[in-house]
Amino acid sequence: MLVYDDFDHRSQARWMSYVMYFHRVNYRSPVINTDRLGFRISHGIDSQTSAGGEPANGPVRLLAGSSMAMGIGATCDQATLASRLWTTHAPSRPWLNFAGRSHSSAQELLLFLFYRHLLPPVEEIVILSGLNNLALARLPAGQRGDDGAFFNCGDYFGQMDKLKSQFRTHHFGSGGQQTGGDEPVRPLQVRIADAAALTIRHLESWKQLCAGTDTRITFVLQPLATWVRETAAPQERRLFDELDKISNFWELFGDIATRETARRYAELLQVGCEKIDVNFLDINPLLANSAADDSWLYVNRAHMTDYGLDLVAQLLARELDLSR
């Protein structure tokens, strides 16, 4: 995890047009490696590939989404979901890691829009995501805008306000759009509905971008530790206790971390996906039924161990019939 901290250190943030931020390019370490565009490299049995690397021969499959799909927590590139699918659980086609750390559904969509021209024919797209939209739904309206908020957007809007103030004359004063302030957090039910609606809107755009192809799109609601089981494994409990000493997880995300919230969120996502004819899978109950109570699945509440990632890859291959 120290390597991931270095990889994502704010002093090395890579800002890019429209998407706002993406991974460092050509990053090298024993844990994580990226290509010339910042995509994480995925591995098959005897080869490797990435969206910005040498094109794969023939059709490919994409694993899109945010940091869990990207593989934060994996001890090496070979242990990520894309690599485990390509190596063992669904090896008939190469799997590209098309995920972005800390991305919202809007950023996931833009990443595909901007780089799809580099891809060979895409047979399958699995988008493993959902948590970030729900977490970001608590931010003020000025930061959410029409397309949803993104992480660290408070810094962005703050800097833009400073820039605007340099061009204001005394005549216009120091007013402007308020992007934060004391706006109360909206009720949980409103945030759940808003996050689901935003996700579905962006999924519909994914589908339109793939219109005229045989690409199958599936949205998978990612597994959060507290959505999977109420009692953590012993190793997880020790890690979570340590992390709680230095973070305010329960203060910020306690209301969305319950299994009841996950259930309501999944129901709305499923209904929305059915309306736009996109496959939907809530992997949380499947993982809960497949994992032993004492199995060590998580390094923190949002990111998984190698074992946890491999188990998710198995479930994805089985439930989505990816071994075909």
Side-chain angles (χ1 to χ4, degrees), residues 196-215:
L198 189 65
T199 302
I200 297 303
R201 173 153 62 91
H202 292 145
L203 283 173
E204 189 168 18
S205 293
W206 277 89
K207 185 177 179 183
Q208 291 171 344
L209 286 171
C210 295
T213 71
D214 295 326
T215 305

Side-chain angles (χ1 to χ4, degrees), residues 49 53 56-57 78 85 132 157 180 210 232 235 239 269 297 299 308 311:
T49 192
N57 294 323
Q78 291 88 337
L85 286 166
N132 288 350
F157 286 117
C210 295
Q235 300 95 329
L239 287 169
L269 288 169
L297 301 178
V299 296
L311 184 53

Side-chain angles (χ1 to χ4, degrees), residues 11-273:
S11 67
Q12 299 295 321
R14 177 185 166 217
W15 295 95
M16 59 185 294
S17 300
Y18 308 108
V19 178
M20 298 306 299
Y21 51 81
F22 193 45
H23 312 137
R24 293 164 66 178
V25 302
N26 295 319
Y27 187 85
R28 295 291 178 264
S29 78
V31 176
I32 179 172
N33 298 273
T34 61
D35 64 20
R36 64 184 179 87
L37 298 175
F39 289 98
R40 189 169 190 171
I41 295 168
S42 57
H43 289 256
I45 295 174
D46 55 6
S47 60
Q48 64 184 49
T49 192
S50 64
E54 289 295 322
N57 294 323
V60 297
R61 292 168 168 178
L62 302 187
L63 184 74
S66 53
S67 56
M68 177 173 284
M70 186 263 205
I72 301 300
T75 58
C76 58
D77 296 328
Q78 291 88 337
T80 62
L81 285 171
S83 293
R84 296 306 300 148
L85 286 166
W86 186 13
T87 302
T88 302
H89 303 297
S92 62
R93 295 283 187 267
W95 282 86
L96 302 186
N97 192 324
F98 218 79
R101 185 171 192 181
S102 300
H103 275 187
S104 66
S105 63
Q107 291 166 305
E108 293 163 1
L109 172 64
L110 287 172
L111 201 64
F112 180 63
L113 175 66
F114 292 152
Y115 292 115
R116 61 193 290 263
H117 67 285
L118 299 177
L119 301 172
V122 177
E123 180 183 271
E124 188 103 30
I125 299 175
V126 176
I127 305 168
L128 181 79
S129 190
L131 175 61
N132 288 350
N133 273 14
L134 188 56
L136 292 166
R138 71 176 287 113
L139 293 180
Q143 294 182 10
R144 296 194 314 272
D146 295 325
D147 300 298
F150 55 91
F151 283 104
N152 301 319
C153 62
D155 293 345
Y156 169 80
F157 286 117
Q159 291 299 316
M160 292 302 102
D161 284 343
K162 289 181 181 179
L163 185 62
K164 286 189 294 184
S165 70
Q166 297 177 18
F167 298 98
R168 292 185 187 126
T169 66
H170 179 72
H171 174 75
F172 291 106
S174 59
Q177 182 184 14
Q178 296 298 311
T179 57
D182 298 325
E183 181 180 323
V185 176
R186 298 178 298 166
L188 176 60
Q189 192 61 35
V190 174
R191 284 179 278 142
I192 293 173
D194 191 42
L198 189 65
T199 302
I200 297 303
R201 173 153 62 91
H202 292 145
L203 283 173
E204 189 168 18
S205 293
W206 277 89
K207 185 177 179 183
Q208 291 171 344
L209 286 171
C210 295
T213 71
D214 295 326
T215 305
R216 183 176 73 157
I217 303 174
T218 301
F219 182 82
V220 180
L221 180 58
Q222 67 189 91
L224 183 68
T226 52
W227 289 352
V228 173
R229 54 190 179 190
E230 295 179 351
T231 302
Q235 300 95 329
E236 294 169 355
R237 181 73 273 150
R238 292 177 64 186
L239 287 169
F240 297 168
D241 287 346
E242 287 296 316
L243 291 169
D244 286 345
K245 295 176 183 177
I246 58 174
S247 70
N248 54 352
F249 175 86
W250 290 110
E251 179 183 346
L252 292 177
F253 307 120
D255 56 354
I256 69 170
T258 68
R259 299 179 81 178
E260 175 60 18
T261 293
R263 183 190 64 78
R264 287 189 279 170
Y265 191 30
E267 287 178 351
L268 291 177
L269 288 169
Q270 182 168 10
V271 170
C273 284

Side-chain angles (χ1 to χ4, degrees), residues 270-282:
Q270 182 168 10
V271 170
C273 284
E274 288 174 353
K275 288 181 178 179
I276 63 172
D277 195 26
V278 166
N279 296 321
F280 172 77
L281 177 67
D282 179 5

